[in-house]
Amino acid sequence: MRLVRLGAWCDVETDAEIRARLPAGVPGERRSGGSASTRTDFDREGADSRPGVHFRVREFADLADGRRVTLHDERGFTSVYRVTGQSAPPADQWSHHTLASLERDVRNTVLPDDDDGEDHPWEWLAALLRAQGVEVPVEELRRVPYVVEFSERLRERVAAERQGAQ
């Protein structure tokens, strides 16, 4: 199967959506970064402990037959705007976001953890594709375009902020 492009898709994530994707259960061991590991942890921490705007990132591969294969869907980032050491009010959290700045954040989120000089973890991405029955050599992965896409609601939110700022 021929690969057309690789990319990352990003969406803003609400507290309700974060809670819904966490497993139910008793408080568990903390994940790296200190984020909640269960719905119980999430509910106990409360919204005040999660300032900023939360984003979810998934990487994908588009195939020549029109299919889009999700490679992984567990990453994301939080953007916190601070004023004099305090988290800014929720409305102000959006005032510094542009699609260009968010694209930089998305690309940083999908960079490899180790600093081997590569702009993507090509071997890992190839293994994720193989696990879904798509054989693509690493060399081909390196050649295809890499794009960043945003959900419609994220695009609308950024556009609304730009219009409100004018």
Side-chain angles (χ1 to χ4, degrees):
M1 180 58 52
R2 193 171 67 81
L3 185 66
V4 176
R5 67 182 181 162
L6 290 170
W9 180 87
C10 180
D11 191 14
V12 64
E13 191 169 39
T14 66
D15 278 356
E17 291 165 336
I18 294 170
R19 185 183 188 284
R21 73 176 161 79
L22 290 171
V26 296
E29 211 173 286
R30 310 306 284 170
R31 294 189 305 190
S32 64
S35 59
S37 58
T38 68
R39 285 185 207 144
T40 304
D41 293 331
F42 187 84
D43 293 340
R44 187 181 63 241
E45 290 172 2
D48 290 342
S49 70
R50 296 180 298 278
V53 182
H54 309 281
F55 300 91
R56 182 115 187 219
V57 176
R58 91 171 61 121
E59 272 189 296
F60 62 85
D62 286 338
L63 306 178
D65 66 3
R67 286 185 296 150
R68 174 167 282 186
V69 177
T70 297
L71 301 175
H72 64 89
D73 190 19
E74 80 290 347
R75 295 203 183 162
F77 62 96
T78 299
S79 174
V80 180
Y81 174 60
R82 297 192 181 277
V83 178
T84 62
Q86 300 282 325
S87 181
D92 290 348
Q93 291 294 326
W94 283 97
S95 63
H96 296 279
H97 291 293
T98 65
L99 291 180
S101 69
L102 289 171
E103 181 172 344
R104 280 191 306 275
D105 291 338
V106 168
R107 288 181 182 270
N108 283 334
T109 299
V110 299
L111 285 173
D113 290 334
D114 55 348
D115 188 14
D116 62 1
E118 295 283 349
D119 56 350
H120 293 283
W122 302 117
E123 295 287 343
W124 180 62
L125 295 174
L128 292 173
L129 280 163
R130 269 192 308 280
Q132 297 191 49
V134 180
E135 290 290 331
V136 178
V138 170
E139 297 73 35
E140 185 176 340
L141 291 178
R142 286 187 174 110
R143 285 193 303 266
V144 297
Y146 192 95
V147 299
V148 174
E149 297 178 351
F150 299 102
S151 70
E152 190 59 35
R153 73 177 175 173
L154 178 53
R155 287 180 170 283
E156 288 172 0
R157 183 64 180 92
V158 170
E161 181 60 38
R162 295 297 116 211
Q163 290 174 351
Q166 295 175 357

